[in-house]
Amino acid sequence: MNFDEYRGVWVFNEQRDGELVDVGIELLGAGRELADKLETELCGVLIGHNVSGLAAELFEHGADKVFLIDDPITEQYRTETYMKAAGDLVRKYKPEIFLYGATSNGKDLASAVATEVMTGLTADTTLLDVNVEKRLFEASRPAFGGNIMATILCKKHRPQMATVRPKVMKKPERQPGRTGEVIEETFSMREEDLRTKIIDIVRDTKKGVNLEEADIIVAAGKGVKDEKGFKLVEDLAAVLNATVGASRDVVEAGICGHDHQVGQTGATVTPKLYIAAGISGAIQHIVGMQNSEMIIAINNDPDAAIFNTAHYGIVGDLFEVLPLLTEEFKKALQEETEEGGVPSHA
C-alpha cells in the first residue's frame, strides 16, 4: 500500500429524510482542524436521493469538496448500498482519514466500510489529533473501564477511520456564501440485486428523558447514596425546570433508569448549565458532559476529580447544599415573578 496516494480528510454526512444529521456538521469542524494541520482538503460524503441541495450547507460549514451519490436506491439507509457507495469512493479517491458520526447508521456503515476496504476503525472516540510528521491519525477514547485514555493508531492501512459520538465536538461557525466543488458519482447497484428490502419504516415515538436537548441538567452521582438523596436532585431540577441526569454508579444501583445516564455508556450532553451533585469525576462520566457551557460541582471531597473540570465548585455535603440551593432558587424565581418579570429559566 502506497500511503502517498492517500490524501484528504473525509466526513460522512448522514442525512435522514433529506435533513442533515447534526453530528456530521460537528465533524466538519473537527475535520477542518485535522485537514489544516495536514495541509490537505476537507471533504464531505453525501449519499441519498434528491440530496444534492444539502452540499451548500456542507461548504458553509467548512467542506472544500463534496462527494455525492444521489440515486433512488440510496434514499433509505441500507448497509449493502451505503457500504458499496462509500467503499467505491474510498477505492477511487483514497482519503487519508475518514470520520463518521457514532449514530446507529454511522457505526454500522463505518464497520462495514472498514471490512470492505480492509482497514482499521476506532469506535466512540472523544479526542482527535494528528502526528503531522508521520501523518498518523491519533484517535483517543476511554479504555479499561474509563480508567485510562487510549490513543489508537492505524499504522499499516488506509484510510484511518473513527466514529465520534454526537455532541462530543462543537459545530463550526457557518460561513454564509462559502462554496466548493461537488463531485458526483454514478451508482451501479440495482434493487433486484439486493438481499435486503425495506417493507415499512416504523418510527419510535416513545418519549423518554431528553438529556441531549436539555439546557439545564442536574445530575446525581454515587454521593446521593439512595432514593432519598436522589429526590434532592429531583427537587432542585424541578425548581430550575431542568432535566435529571445521573452517573453510571447511580443507574447500576437501580436508583434511576439508564435513560438518565450521562457519560461514555450514556448520553453526551452540552447544556448551558450542568450541576454535578456527588459525582466524583471519573473519565467515563467527564467525556459525556465536559463540553457543557458551565459546570458546577458539589462534592464533600476537595480532591475529587470533578473539580478539575468544573467552572465552579462547592465543597460540602450535598444533603445540606442541595436543599439550600433549592430554597434559594425558589425565592429568587418567586421574587422575579412578583416583580412582573418572567423567570429567567422559562
Side-chain angles (χ1 to χ4, degrees):
M1 177 173 281
N2 182 2
F3 287 179
D4 291 337
E5 294 178 348
Y6 289 79
R7 287 293 182 268
V9 176
W10 284 17
V11 172
F12 171 61
N13 291 109
E14 182 180 349
Q15 56 79 30
R16 296 175 195 156
D17 299 328
E19 298 286 336
L20 288 168
V21 175
D22 280 351
V23 67
I25 300 296
E26 295 162 11
L27 289 181
L28 286 176
R32 181 76 268 167
E33 293 182 14
L34 298 175
D36 288 347
K37 287 182 179 178
L38 292 168
E39 298 182 343
T40 190
E41 295 173 325
L42 174 65
C43 305
V45 175
L46 194 54
I47 302 171
H49 182 45
N50 293 327
V51 295
S52 60
L54 299 177
E57 191 170 344
L58 304 186
F59 294 137
E60 291 187 343
H61 283 96
D64 300 310
K65 290 180 180 175
V66 171
F67 292 98
L68 171 67
I69 291 181
D70 196 321
D71 190 285
I73 203 170
T74 58
E75 182 170 7
Q76 300 293 340
Y77 179 82
R78 277 180 286 184
T79 306
E80 282 178 284
T81 52
Y82 274 60
M83 179 182 70
K84 177 73 164 55
D88 286 351
L89 289 173
V90 167
R91 282 185 284 266
K92 183 172 181 178
Y93 293 100
K94 295 181 170 51
E96 194 169 10
I97 294 171
F98 199 171
L99 306 176
Y100 306 75
T103 62
S104 297
N105 291 345
K107 289 188 286 189
D108 181 68
L109 177 63
S111 57
V113 172
T115 304
E116 175 79 359
V117 301
M118 299 295 287
T119 190
L121 171 68
T122 304
D124 286 338
T125 51
T126 56
L127 293 172
L128 306 178
D129 205 345
V130 65
N131 181 321
V132 175
E133 184 181 353
K134 296 181 179 178
R135 299 192 78 86
L136 273 175
F137 177 46
E138 299 174 338
S140 300
R141 54 157 295 161
F144 294 103
N147 292 315
I148 64 166
M149 288 292 287
T151 298
I152 299 168
L153 308 177
C154 181
K155 293 183 175 180
K156 297 182 178 179
H157 300 275
R158 293 292 183 274
Q160 304 163 94
M161 305 208 310
T163 62
V164 182
R165 298 179 67 178
K167 303 285 187 182
V168 170
M169 305 295 169
K170 291 189 175 179
K171 280 186 180 180
E173 286 192 18
R174 191 168 192 150
Q175 304 171 61
R178 189 178 184 278
T179 61
E181 180 185 2
V182 176
I183 300 174
E184 185 165 4
E185 292 285 328
T186 56
F187 195 53
S188 59
M189 291 189 91
R190 298 177 302 173
E191 188 67 40
E192 52 268 33
D193 297 330
L194 298 177
R195 288 169 292 185
T196 54
K197 309 291 181 188
I198 296 177
I199 306 300
D200 192 10
I201 296 175
V202 179
R203 302 192 186 280
D204 183 2
T205 57
K206 182 178 68 176
K207 290 185 179 180
V209 179
N210 190 359
L211 287 165
E212 288 87 351
E213 302 298 327
D215 284 334
I216 305 175
I217 294 174
V218 184
K222 189 164 57 176
V224 300
K225 298 180 181 176
D226 53 23
E227 285 79 1
K228 186 181 289 186
F230 189 74
K231 179 68 166 51
L232 298 178
V233 171
E234 291 181 311
D235 290 345
L236 178 57
V239 170
L240 295 176
N241 196 24
T243 302
V244 175
S247 68
R248 188 177 68 180
D249 289 326
V250 175
V251 174
E252 290 185 345
I255 297 173
C256 65
H258 182 266
D259 51 353
H260 289 273
Q261 187 172 326
V262 174
Q264 184 186 359
T265 51
T268 301
V269 299
T270 55
K272 293 177 181 175
L273 174 62
Y274 189 92
I275 300 177
I279 292 174
S280 62
I283 290 175
Q284 60 264 41
H285 186 80
I286 297 297
V287 298
M289 45 67 82
Q290 61 188 346
N291 288 329
S292 303
E293 287 185 26
M294 181 179 290
I295 299 168
I296 299 175
I298 304 165
N299 201 298
N300 59 8
D301 178 2
D303 297 321
I306 189 68
F307 290 125
N308 296 328
T309 303
H311 300 94
Y312 297 97
I314 301 173
V315 178
D317 186 342
L318 67 86
F319 290 89
E320 297 176 1
V321 174
L322 285 177
L324 290 173
L325 284 177
T326 301
E327 195 58 35
E328 289 302 315
F329 277 120
K330 271 184 185 176
K331 288 180 185 175
L333 292 168
Q334 181 64 32
E335 289 172 2
E336 203 169 334
T337 302
E338 289 173 354
E339 290 171 1
V342 177
S344 58
H345 70 266

